[in-house]
Amino acid sequence: MNWKKFFKVLGIVLAALVIIVVALVGYLYYEYEGKFPIDEEEYPHHIGYINTENAVLTEDFDLCDEILAGIHSSSQPKIYNGSKYAFKKYIRDHYTNDSYTDSGFLVFRFHINCKGETGNVEINELNPDLQPTDLNDTMVQQLLKLTVRKENWQVGYVKDQDGNAYNHYMYVLYKIENGELLEILP
Amino acid sequence: MGNYLKYCLSLFCLILLFSCADSNDYSTLSKQERINRSEKVLKDGSHLFQGSQKSMTRIAKAIEIDPNNCDAVRELSVAYLKRGMPNKWKAQIDKAVACDPVIWQPYRGYNYLWFYRDYKKAIADFNASDTLTPDFIDAPQGHSVDYWRGIAYLGLNDYENSIAYFSKNIQTETEEYGEDWVEPTAFLYRGIAYYENDTFDKSLKDFDSFIFYSKNKTADGKYYKALIYSKKNKCEEATKLLMAATKDFKEGYFNNRHYVETIRQIYTEDLNNLKAKLEQKCQNKPL
């Protein structure tokens, strides 16, 4: 047997197989992910990204080195500590309409880290037609304080393989009419 | 050496083959070719994570190729809707409505209804669909606009109109397909509207229908029946129903939705509150 020739053929076959596998994996990656470009100018981040430069309660707040859940599928209702009933009751029991005349929507988008702490809150103040407006600062601050209260939220119902709780993305939307809370969503 | 050069040339050709990219110049394409290309771009990336940079870029590209691809125009709004960014959603969904009002105006109403609880704007969009398609009852997200209007009027506490639209929906579906084709929650919501109007007999009938079509597994239907029996001071019936409602609730049989709380959603606290009320009310009555 000509071992030299045998190993040469074997080497060529193996090399060809490796090239085919690499090409196939590369092709599949290209078809599934690689061929889709990103318009960095128009979409510098995914939708829902919170830019901490435009957020409040960012100091002394850090996300854990874990997955951020709740981006695609909403974290509600499990993210509410106890239930959404309890969250709504707490807000309604503690909120005071101090003769506010504002109507529209107030939205807080924020993070809850793996320890259940809240931070990185982006505030959006909108009129009834969903256009940016300026709502009463005292009312906004009052609702912000009530919303980010740590006891409102629970984490740990989804965990990684090592048992670490995820961080969560969450938003709370208040529909307001003359300072009264008509709806608390989601 | 000659063989190696051949191999290198073959590899170079292969790389060239896979390096071909779509041209960004669509001016030479016919209208139909642009429509086809746009649909392909949208469809090819449908597996991408919704709201990701790649997904958004590819939807925008589909619109760039064919600005009349109204599905793509609408698709660009969805991530904003789900992630609590109403002003961004509004800007985009309005473009979709302008692009194809027949399809997307009632759909916008559905979004106003559930994600923003803007019942009046929702009703305005549902009403517009009557004008846009006078011979056809639109069904955004799988349900008739009459069903959605019934819910919107329930949200406004306008029980007369709520009942009227649910009745129209139930009657239409029953005549066309049979009562078992009616969305069961139409009975639940109309029952709640009757309950709020103190029309308890009709309310009970609707809750019975809802329980029947829910295969006897519904906390909501039993809870509302228990509320009525409680009001009628029928302690034994109310207590039994409440126990059954609590069991169903614990097993996960209660009315709820993805992404947002549903209208008149019940919670453990509602069941416990009624239990406490019944215990107080029925102290001296047989249970």
Side-chain angles (χ1 to χ4, degrees):
Chain A
M1 186 153 196
N2 186 343
W3 287 103
K4 195 177 169 186
K5 193 173 183 182
F6 172 77
F7 283 118
K8 188 180 175 185
V9 171
L10 186 67
I12 290 169
V13 169
L14 286 175
L17 280 175
V18 168
I19 289 170
I20 289 168
V21 169
V22 168
L24 193 64
V25 170
Y27 174 75
L28 289 175
Y29 173 78
Y30 172 78
E31 278 295 308
Y32 198 77
E33 275 288 328
K35 74 175 180 183
F36 298 100
I38 291 174
D39 182 346
E40 289 283 356
E41 197 175 325
E42 192 68 28
Y43 303 106
H45 304 285
H46 65 80
I47 305 304
Y49 173 84
I50 296 174
N51 185 345
T52 52
E53 288 181 10
N54 303 327
V56 298
L57 304 180
T58 54
E59 289 179 16
D60 302 324
F61 177 79
D62 290 306
L63 290 173
C64 310
D65 188 20
E66 302 297 336
I67 293 168
L68 182 62
I71 292 287
H72 189 269
S73 295
S74 173
S75 291
Q76 74 88 35
K78 289 184 177 173
I79 197 75
Y80 297 113
N81 190 13
S83 68
K84 190 182 171 190
Y85 181 103
F87 177 73
K88 287 193 295 187
K89 187 173 187 308
Y90 176 79
I91 299 290
R92 291 190 187 284
D93 286 352
H94 292 84
Y95 172 74
T96 306
N97 181 1
D98 194 9
S99 303
Y100 306 131
T101 56
D102 304 70
S103 296
F105 296 86
L106 175 60
V107 188
F108 299 120
R109 298 194 303 117
F110 56 100
H111 290 144
I112 307 165
N113 70 16
C114 68
K115 298 173 210 159
E117 299 162 342
T118 54
N120 297 344
V121 187
E122 189 190 279
I123 304 170
N124 289 301
E125 302 170 30
L126 305 170
N127 68 17
D129 291 322
L130 300 175
Q131 301 304 314
T133 192
D134 189 20
L135 298 175
N136 183 294
D137 289 343
T138 316
M139 181 184 80
V140 171
Q141 289 304 314
Q142 188 190 164
L143 283 168
L144 171 65
K145 193 177 171 189
L146 293 173
T147 304
V148 299
R149 172 179 168 261
K150 188 182 176 186
E151 290 78 8
N152 290 338
W153 310 103
Q154 65 165 348
V155 293
Y157 61 88
V158 280
K159 296 176 180 174
D160 67 12
Q161 289 177 333
D162 299 324
N164 300 313
Y166 288 174
N167 304 294
H168 286 264
Y169 169 86
M170 182 61 185
Y171 79 90
V172 172
L173 179 149
Y174 295 98
K175 185 181 175 193
I176 299 163
E177 192 171 287
N178 294 320
E180 294 296 325
L181 302 180
L182 296 189
E183 303 281 350
I184 302 173
L185 295 165
Chain B
M1 185 67 186
N3 280 343
Y4 286 120
L5 281 173
K6 281 182 195 168
Y7 295 147
C8 286
L9 188 62
S10 302
L11 196 62
F12 180 70
C13 290
L14 198 67
I15 290 168
L16 272 183
L17 189 68
F18 283 97
S19 300
C20 293
D22 288 342
S23 165
N24 282 333
D25 181 11
Y26 306 109
S27 59
T28 55
L29 299 180
S30 69
K31 188 180 175 187
Q32 190 56 49
E33 283 172 331
R34 288 174 78 118
I35 290 170
N36 295 344
R37 179 75 66 86
S38 175
E39 285 176 356
K40 186 174 186 309
V41 167
L42 187 66
K43 192 179 169 190
D44 279 357
S46 60
H47 64 280
L48 294 168
F49 191 88
Q50 194 172 55
S52 66
Q53 292 170 279
K54 288 187 175 185
S55 177
M56 298 300 281
T57 302
R58 135 261 176 186
I59 300 169
K61 171 63 84 179
I63 297 168
E64 183 191 326
I65 298 168
D66 176 17
N68 293 317
N69 185 342
C70 305
D71 288 356
V73 177
R74 194 280 313 200
E75 183 68 30
L76 207 59
S77 74
V78 179
Y80 297 115
L81 177 78
K82 291 179 178 176
R83 291 171 201 178
M85 304 169 78
N87 52 325
K88 299 276 179 89
W89 166 80
K90 167 81 173 154
Q92 193 58 37
I93 196 68
D94 284 355
K95 290 178 188 171
V97 172
C99 186
D100 186 350
V102 170
I103 298 294
W104 300 120
Q105 189 153 6
Y107 169 83
R108 184 178 65 183
Y110 164 87
N111 288 335
Y112 273 134
L113 171 62
W114 288 112
F115 286 83
Y116 305 115
R117 299 294 200 263
D118 195 329
Y119 306 115
K120 289 179 181 172
K121 282 195 173 73
I123 290 166
D125 277 345
F126 297 141
N127 289 345
S129 76
D130 290 344
T131 311
L132 290 163
T133 55
D135 301 322
F136 179 74
I137 299 173
D138 290 274
Q141 298 300 98
H143 291 304
S144 151
V145 286
D146 292 331
Y147 171 81
W148 296 127
R149 272 185 287 224
I151 294 175
Y153 279 111
L154 184 61
L156 284 172
N157 299 330
D158 180 344
Y159 304 119
E160 290 298 329
N161 268 315
S162 179
I163 290 166
Y165 276 109
F166 280 124
S167 296
K168 183 172 175 244
N169 171 235
I170 291 167
Q171 188 182 341
T172 306
E173 299 287 318
T174 303
E175 284 173 1
E176 285 192 27
Y177 308 108
E179 193 183 81
D180 54 342
W181 274 77
V182 175
E183 161 58 36
T185 50
F187 292 108
L188 171 68
Y189 289 128
R190 188 175 69 173
I192 292 172
Y194 277 132
Y195 167 78
E196 295 289 0
N197 256 0
D198 291 334
T199 316
F200 293 152
D201 288 346
K202 287 184 175 178
S203 180
L204 282 171
K205 201 177 163 201
D206 271 346
F207 293 140
D208 281 338
S209 294
F210 180 58
I211 292 168
F212 175 75
Y213 288 117
S214 302
K215 297 183 169 54
N216 200 30
K217 291 282 188 186
T218 158
D220 302 75
K222 294 170 189 176
Y223 166 75
Y224 276 102
K225 279 188 75 174
L227 273 179
I228 292 172
Y229 283 118
S230 170
K231 284 201 171 188
K232 290 183 169 185
N233 290 318
K234 292 187 173 178
C235 289
E236 188 177 348
E237 290 94 331
T239 304
K240 276 184 184 171
L241 279 161
L242 183 61
M243 285 170 68
T246 305
K247 182 173 177 290
D248 287 353
F249 189 92
K250 284 179 181 168
E251 291 174 4
Y253 298 105
F254 58 91
N255 191 26
N256 64 97
R257 299 181 64 78
H258 289 301
Y259 298 109
V260 285
E261 178 185 49
T262 197
I263 280 178
R264 305 281 179 141
Q265 184 160 335
I266 63 168
Y267 293 93
T268 306
E269 288 90 337
D270 293 302
L271 301 167
N272 291 340
N273 290 344
L274 180 57
K275 187 182 176 196
K277 201 181 283 182
L278 281 173
E279 281 172 355
Q280 193 179 16
K281 182 186 266 190
C282 303
Q283 280 181 61
N284 302 319
K285 294 191 177 189
L287 293 179

